[in-house]
C-alpha cells in the first residue's frame, strides 16, 4: 500500500496522513490515532529511503551508555519500550558504549559530526548535567529521561521520585518505624537526590532525626544491596524497615534479612521501587512486596513518542511530563516490632 492509497482510504490529504504518521504536533490527536490505526490494519509502512530523502533525516536516534551498571535489566526494559515504538516508524537506535565520562562526551561530539542520528536520549542525569549542556551546544535534539538544572529549555520525562519516597517513608512511620534505612541510587544523579529529598521531608515532618548510617548510595545490584543491608542490620539499634531503590536491590536486602534469621514483614519491613520487570513480580514474592510502582518499559515507549513530537516540530519547552508513582501495599510492610 502506498501513502496515496492510505490517504484516499481515509479521505484525507497525503500531507495530513504523512504528518500524522510522523508525529507533527499540529495534527489533532484523534486524527493521529485514526491514521495510525488504519496504517496498522492495512499494512502500510513508509518507504524508509524515500522518507529520509524527503526529510533529510538519518532515520536513527542515539543512546550512549557508560559503565556496567547502565547495561543491566533497567536499561533492557527501557530499550524494549523505546525500540518497539521506534520500530513502528522504521527508526533505528544507535547504541554506543563507553568506559568513562570523557569518552561519553567524545561520543556525543562524534555523533554530532557524523550526523548519524537525528536526536538523542539522555538518561540518568545529574543535578547539573554537563552532557545536556554539550548537546545543547552541539545542537543535537534530545529528550531527557529525568531532569537536570540547566538554564536553557530541555525536553524531559520523569517520575515523581520525591513524592514516591515521601509517601513510602510516611507509611512506614505510620506503622511505628523510626529506624528506616534508605538504599538509594548513585549519589549526584537527579532521581537519587529527589528520592533523598522525599525521605528527608517525611522524617522531618514527624520529628524523626536522620541517621547517616541508615543511608546507602550505590548501583542497583543484588550483591551490593546484600552487603549494605547486612552491615546496617548489625547496627544497634538496627533498622526496622528498608526502602529499596529497585527490585534488584530488594532481592539483596531480602537475602540479608533471611541470613540474619529474621522474617520480612514481621521483624523487618521493606518497600521497594518496582520498575515492573516481567520476570520479577512483586505479587509473586513471598511475602509479597510492597512497592512504589512505575513501568520503565512504558517510560521508554513514551520517550519515543516525545522524540517523534520533537522531531515533528513541537517546542522542547512544551515537552515536560512528570508521572505520579503508585504506592502498592502488600505483605512486606508491617508494624514496627516491639523490642
Amino acid at each position: 500500500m502506498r501513502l496515496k492509497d492510505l490517504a484516499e482510504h481515509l479521505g484525507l490529504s497525503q500531507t495530513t496522513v504523512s504528518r500524522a504518521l510522523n508525529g507533527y504536533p499540529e495534527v489533532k490527536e484523534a486524527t493521529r490515532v485514526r491514521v495510525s490505526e488504519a496504517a496498522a490494519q492495512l499494512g502500510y509502512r513508509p518507504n524508509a529511503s524515500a522518507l529520509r530523502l524527503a526529510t533529510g533525516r538519518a532515520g536513527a536516534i542515539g543512546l550512549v551508555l557508560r559503565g556496567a551498571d547502565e547495561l543491566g535489566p533497567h536499561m533492557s526494559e527501557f530499550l524494549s519500550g523505546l525500540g518497539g515504538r521506534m520500530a513502528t516508524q522504521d527508526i533505528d537506535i544507535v547504541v554506543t558504549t563507553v568506559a568513562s565520562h570523557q569518552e561519553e562526551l567524545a561520543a556525543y561530539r562524534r555523533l554530532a559530526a557524523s550526523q548519524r542520528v537525528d536526536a538523542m536520549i539522555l538518561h540518568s542525569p545529574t543535578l547539573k548535567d554537563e552532557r545536556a549542556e554539550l548537546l545543547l551546544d552541539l545542537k543535537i535534539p534530545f529528550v531527557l529521561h529525568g531532569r537536570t538544572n540547566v538554564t536553557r529549555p530541555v525536553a524531559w520525562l520523569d517520575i515523581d521520585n520525591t513524592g514516591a519516597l515521601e509517601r513510602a517513608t510516611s507509611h512506614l512511620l505510620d506503622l511505628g518505624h523510626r529506624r528506616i534505612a534508605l538504599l538509594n541510587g548513585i549519589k549526584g544523579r537527579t532521581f537519587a537526590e529527589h528520592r533523598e529529598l522525599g525521605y528527608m521531608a517525611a522524617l522531618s515532618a514527624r520529628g524523626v532525626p536522620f541517621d547517616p548510617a541508615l543511608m546507602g548510595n550505590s548501583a542497583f545490584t543484588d550483591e551490593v544491596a546484600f552487603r549494605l543491608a547486612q552491615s546496617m542490620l548489625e547496627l544497634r539499634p538496627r533498622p526496622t524497615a528498608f526502602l529499596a531503590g529497585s527490585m534488584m536491590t530488594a532481592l539483596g536486602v531480602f537475602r540479608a534479612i533471611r541470613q540474619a534469621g529474621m522474617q520480612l514483614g514481621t521483624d523487618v519491613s521493606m518497600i521497594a521501587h518496582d520498575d515492573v520487570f516481567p520476570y520479577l513480580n512483586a505479587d509473586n514474592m513471598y511475602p509479597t512486596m510492597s512497592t512504589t510502582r512505575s513501568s520503565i518499559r512504558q517510560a521508554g515507549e513514551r520517550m519515543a513518542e516525545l522524540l517523534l513530537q520533537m522531531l515533528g516540530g513541537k517546542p522542547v519547552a512544551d515537552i515536560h511530563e512528570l508521572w505520579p508513582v503508585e504506592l502498592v501495599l502488600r505483605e512486606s510492610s508491617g508494624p514496627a516490632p516491639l523490642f
Side-chain angles (χ1 to χ4, degrees), residues 4 12 21 34 50 57 73 176 186-187 192 212 248 259 266 281 292 295 322 334:
K4 178 181 178 182
L12 299 170
L21 290 171
R34 181 182 166 216
R57 295 179 187 169
I186 295 172
K187 190 72 177 173
M248 304 306 295
Q259 183 165 305
T266 304
N281 192 319
T292 54
S295 169
L322 182 64

Side-chain angles (χ1 to χ4, degrees), residues 1 6 9-10 17 21 33-46:
M1 171 171 279
L6 179 61
H9 173 80
L10 290 165
V17 172
L21 290 171
V33 171
R34 181 182 166 216
V35 171
S36 297
E37 289 178 349
Q41 291 169 1
L42 298 172
Y44 171 78
R45 295 186 69 83

Side-chain angles (χ1 to χ4, degrees), residues 191-204:
F191 81 89
E193 298 296 330
H194 285 180
R195 289 180 182 184
E196 183 176 325
L197 286 174
Y199 169 75
M200 299 291 280
L203 294 179
S204 177

Side-chain angles (χ1 to χ4, degrees), residues 202-279:
L203 294 179
S204 177
R206 304 298 181 88
V208 176
F210 165 65
D211 184 350
L214 298 181
M215 174 83 75
N217 291 89
S218 70
F220 291 145
T221 69
D222 169 277
E223 186 60 29
V224 172
F226 169 71
R227 296 189 184 282
L228 279 171
Q230 191 176 45
S231 64
M232 289 177 177
L233 288 171
E234 292 173 354
L235 296 171
R236 292 296 178 267
R238 65 168 177 83
T240 62
F242 284 86
L243 293 161
S246 78
M247 290 295 283
M248 304 306 295
T249 301
L251 291 178
V253 176
F254 193 13
R255 185 153 58 96
I257 291 170
R258 285 185 299 177
Q259 183 165 305
M262 289 182 280
Q263 179 68 41
L264 179 63
T266 304
D267 302 311
V268 183
S269 289
M270 179 159 48
I271 299 176
H273 182 70
D274 182 12
D275 285 302
V276 197
F277 296 138
Y279 45 82

Side-chain angles (χ1 to χ4, degrees), residues 124-128 147-148 158 188-195:
S124 301
T126 58
L127 288 174
K128 187 168 177 58
R147 283 173 282 173
T148 189
D158 199 3
R189 292 190 176 175
T190 307
F191 81 89
E193 298 296 330
H194 285 180
R195 289 180 182 184

Side-chain angles (χ1 to χ4, degrees), residues 165-178 180 202 206 270-271 290 327-330 333-335:
L165 263 291
E166 187 169 2
R167 287 183 64 198
T169 307
S170 295
H171 175 69
L172 292 171
L173 291 166
D174 289 342
L175 292 171
H177 296 277
R178 293 299 179 267
I180 303 171
R206 304 298 181 88
M270 179 159 48
I271 299 176
S290 294
L327 177 62
V328 184
L329 300 177
R330 300 184 180 90
S333 54

